[in-house]
Amino acid sequence: PFILVENRMPIENGAFPESDESYRSRIADSISELQTGNQTAVVRAALTVPGVRNAIFVPYDGGLGAFAIVIQAKQPVVSNGLINATQEAVNSVTASGNKAIIKRPIYNGLETKIRLTYRPQANRALIRQLVRRAVVDYIVNIPLGEPFILNELTQRVLEVDEKILDM
């Protein structure tokens, strides 16, 4: 004797079991979500704005009682709309008497020319396009405050296609 069950419709609302570590983390996060007026709360508020990838807290920017949040967007450039939305979100959790200033990162220009050497039968146009995409992807995704590493860029370019001999 056994029971055979056939589902006519797929189950779409299930979830995997949660580990104890994940559960503890979720409880700790829910407690900190209730807090306002501290560094964690203002950074968390900035990160909840759609389009914000990262937020860095800078104390005393503008004097005592003031601080800055430098935000990095998911897009290459931080828009004024994203600054305004983040300012509104951060103001809602900032303690009375404190002043929050939302800033975009300081952008440093970078111009590079890459000369590629190809193997025979390489699709040069396609490879150039893929290399351009790899270079932009690397530069746009450098975290705030982290350096540009030429060797990392070189490695990414050379990994684009096996028909690239050198650069």
Side-chain angles (χ1 to χ4, degrees):
F2 64 91
I3 298 174
L4 175 64
V5 177
E6 290 184 17
N7 292 329
R8 293 182 188 172
M9 301 294 289
I11 298 172
E12 296 180 6
N13 62 351
F16 290 109
E18 185 174 23
S19 69
D20 289 346
E21 182 179 324
S22 173
Y23 181 65
R24 286 187 197 100
S25 174
R26 197 162 48 86
I27 290 172
D29 288 346
S30 68
I31 292 169
S32 66
E33 285 176 5
L34 299 174
Q35 298 174 349
T36 60
N38 62 22
Q39 179 178 341
T40 303
V42 295
V43 170
R44 184 182 301 269
L47 291 172
T48 61
V49 175
V52 174
R53 178 190 311 179
N54 195 7
I56 296 179
F57 184 86
V58 182
Y60 310 117
D61 190 306
L64 291 174
F67 62 90
I69 301 284
V70 180
I71 61 171
Q72 183 180 23
K74 292 180 180 175
Q75 300 298 319
V77 177
V78 176
S79 68
N80 288 336
L82 189 58
I83 295 261
N84 294 337
T86 306
Q87 185 74 57
E88 194 173 309
V90 169
N91 285 346
S92 71
V93 297
T94 300
S96 180
N98 287 340
K99 181 180 179 186
I101 305 162
I102 307 301
K103 294 183 171 184
R104 61 179 43 95
I106 297 170
Y107 297 109
N108 294 317
L110 176 68
E111 183 177 334
T112 181
K113 290 185 179 183
I114 299 173
R115 184 179 309 237
L116 299 173
T117 306
Y118 305 94
R119 294 184 191 276
Q121 291 89 30
N123 184 341
R124 294 175 181 218
L126 176 63
I127 291 173
R128 277 194 299 270
Q129 184 180 18
L130 294 173
V131 165
R132 185 176 295 116
R133 188 177 303 150
V135 169
V136 169
D137 184 57
Y138 169 66
I139 292 171
V140 166
N141 289 303
I142 295 174
L144 285 174
E146 294 296 316
F148 168 79
I149 301 170
L150 182 59
N151 287 341
E152 177 68 24
L153 179 66
T154 303
Q155 185 66 34
R156 289 182 185 221
V157 167
L158 293 175
E159 289 175 350
V160 164
D161 194 293
E162 62 189 25
K163 292 195 170 120
I164 298 175
L165 278 175
D166 199 6
M167 65 178 271

